[in-house]
Amino acid sequence: MTKLVAFVSWSSEFFDTLVRKSLLKSLPGIDITFYTSAEEVEALVANATEPGSDLNILQWSTYDVILHDLTLRASLLSPQKRDEPTHSNRLPSHLHVLSSSYTIRKALIRKHFLYQQTFVNYLTKHPESPLTWAVPKTWSIDIAFADELDELWADELYDLGELIDLGDEANDENPSSKRWWILKPGMADRGMGIRLFRTREELSQIFQSFEDDESSDEEEENDQEPSRNSEEEEGNTRVSTSQLRHFVIQEYLSAPLLLDPAEADIAGGAGSAKSGLGAGKKFHLRVYCVANGALKVFFSPHVLALFAAMPYRSPGERTQTGPSPQHQATADEDPQSEVKTISPEIDELDLAPHLTNTCLQHDGPDTEGSVRLLSELVGCTIYSNDPTWNGQKLTQINIDDVMNQVSVVLGETFTAALASPVHFQPLPNAFELFGVDLLVSHGESGELVVSILELNAEPAIEMTGPRLGWILDDLFGSIAKACVHPYFSSSLEAGGQDGWRVGETRYGLRKCLDVQARERGG
C-alpha cells in the first residue's frame, strides 16, 4: 500500500476539515499520515536521505507555510541525480513532493499583473484571442498620492483621459449618460477600495479621500483613541493608497445580466415568488478552477452566482434604500425613498447595487439568499434595457452558452499567463485552487458575453454558505481524485485520465486546457 505524508495546515478550520475529509474519502488505497508542522516535514526529509528510501509528501496547506524550496528541488531533479555525491542538497532517491500552490503566479492573482503583464502583452501578439471580448478596457497605475495623477494623465492614463474628455463633450446635455469607470486596488480583495467615477476630477477626489482617511487613522493612533467597533469596521471599504500603490482602472460594464435570485428554483421548493423589490439584481459568477501540473486546467461545473444586496440601477441614479459600504443613511433619510435620478456626489455614490461581494453584505437580512447555483437560475425573469431580452426567461441554452464561454475564457487566461514566464511558473508537482470571478453582460449585439474580472488564490470558500456546502465536499474530493491520487498511486485504474479531452467532465471537473509547458522531473 502506498504511504503518504500529508502536511495539512490552514488558519481556517473549515478549509482544514475539507482537505482532510477529501483525502480520507477519495484515496482509500493510500495510507495517510497527517502532519501540521513544516519543521516535522523538513525533519522527515533530512532523515530519509539513505539510498533506496521511499517518501511521498503532499503539502496541501496555505501558501505561507508550504515548503516551496522542497517543491522546487523535487521538480527540478530527476531520480538519477538526487543521490549524486556532488549535489550538496541530496534528496531521497524516491522522494515525491506534490504541493497545493504554485510558488510564482502573480501573473494570475495580482490584478495589475493580470491585466498589464498577462492580458495586454498576450493580446498584443494574439489579437484574435477570445480574450479580446472577455477583458474590459483596462489601465494599470502605480500611485501613492493624489497629486501624482497629473503626471499619470500625461502618460499611463493618456488614452483614458481622451475617452473621458470625449464623453464629457458628447454628454454635456445629459450627464447621467456618461460612461463610468471602476477603480480597483491591485492587491486588495473582498471589495476593498473599489470606487466608481466618470471624470478626472472624481478620480482625484477618490484618491484624496483615501489620503484623508489615512491621515485620520494616523491621528487616532497618535491620540491613542479606541478603535471603531466591529460593526463600524465591517463594510468599510477604505484602503491606504501609500501602502497599496498598484491600481487598475476598467471600463464599467453597464449592461449586466439582471435576475432576481428570489425566483430561483432551489431545493425545498423555494424560489416561486419574486423578492418584491421590483427589479433584477446584478451578479457575478464564482467559478472554482483547479490548475494541475504544467499544465492542465479544470473547473467545477457547480458555478455560483453571487448577487448584489440591492436591485441594480445605473451609477447615475441615486437612492436611499439602505446603508451601503460607502454611504450610510442618516436618521433623517427614508430607507424606502424613491429612486432619484441625479448626478450624485462621488463620495455619496451607493455601491450596494454594484458590488456583488457577499462578504460586504454582513448586515443584510438574508446574506445566503444572495448565493445561487447558476443552474438554479433557469426560468428566472431577465431584466434588461434591451427589449429583445427584457421579460424573457433564462433558458438552459443560455446557461450552456455561458458555461462554454467560461471554459474558453479560463483556458485562454492560463494560456496568456504561460506567455509571461517571469510571473507564472507552473511546476509539474503542484496544483492550485483558484476562485475566478466573471461577469455576464449584454454585448453590443445583444448576445450574452462573459468577461473575466479576477482570479483569487485561496478563495473565501466559506462564503458559499451552508445550503450549498455540498459542492465544496464534491470539489475537494474531485481535486484529490484528479490531482493527488494520480501523482502518488500506481494503482490508478488504467486509462483513468487517458484521452481526457478539453470540454469533457470527469471526477466532477471539466477540463478547459491541456498543454505541455514543462516535463515532470520528480
Side-chain angles (χ1 to χ4, degrees), residues 166-323:
L166 286 173
D168 289 343
E169 295 173 4
N171 297 284
D172 281 341
E173 296 182 359
N174 186 14
S176 64
S177 66
K178 291 182 179 179
R179 294 169 74 177
W180 283 81
W181 311 90
I182 185 167
L183 174 74
K184 303 176 182 178
M187 297 178 65
D189 55 12
R190 302 198 173 206
M192 300 301 295
I194 292 180
R195 298 291 185 269
L196 298 176
F197 68 95
R198 295 161 301 179
T199 67
R200 297 172 186 249
E201 293 73 20
E202 288 176 349
L203 182 60
S204 180
Q205 291 174 24
I206 290 170
F207 280 110
Q208 187 59 57
S209 70
F210 289 160
E211 286 186 35
D212 293 343
D213 290 338
E214 187 175 6
S215 298
S216 299
D217 290 343
E218 290 176 354
E219 290 177 3
E220 288 182 7
E221 291 178 2
N222 293 335
D223 294 339
Q224 295 183 343
E225 293 183 3
S227 61
R228 295 177 175 84
N229 61 46
S230 59
E231 291 184 359
E232 291 175 328
E233 284 296 329
E234 288 182 348
N236 179 8
T237 62
R238 296 179 305 164
V239 295
S240 172
T241 310
S242 61
Q243 294 180 15
L244 289 177
R245 297 186 64 88
H246 300 291
F247 291 82
V248 295
I249 297 173
Q250 291 181 323
E251 180 179 13
Y252 183 69
L253 301 176
S254 58
L257 175 62
L258 304 178
L259 303 170
D260 185 348
E263 289 187 63
D265 183 14
I266 61 176
S272 59
K274 295 184 179 181
S275 65
L277 294 175
K281 293 182 178 181
K282 178 182 176 181
F283 66 94
H284 79 265
L285 303 180
R286 164 52 64 91
V287 179
Y288 291 121
C289 172
V290 183
N292 185 35
L295 177 68
K296 295 177 176 63
V297 181
F298 314 90
F299 70 96
S300 169
H302 300 306
V303 174
L304 299 177
L306 307 182
F307 285 81
M310 303 298 298
Y312 182 80
R313 56 187 178 275
S314 70
E317 296 178 351
R318 179 183 172 189
T319 183
Q320 306 297 345
T321 54

Side-chain angles (χ1 to χ4, degrees), residues 70 189 279 295 303 378 419 468 513 521:
L70 180 62
D189 55 12
L295 177 68
V303 174
V378 173
L468 296 174
L513 182 67

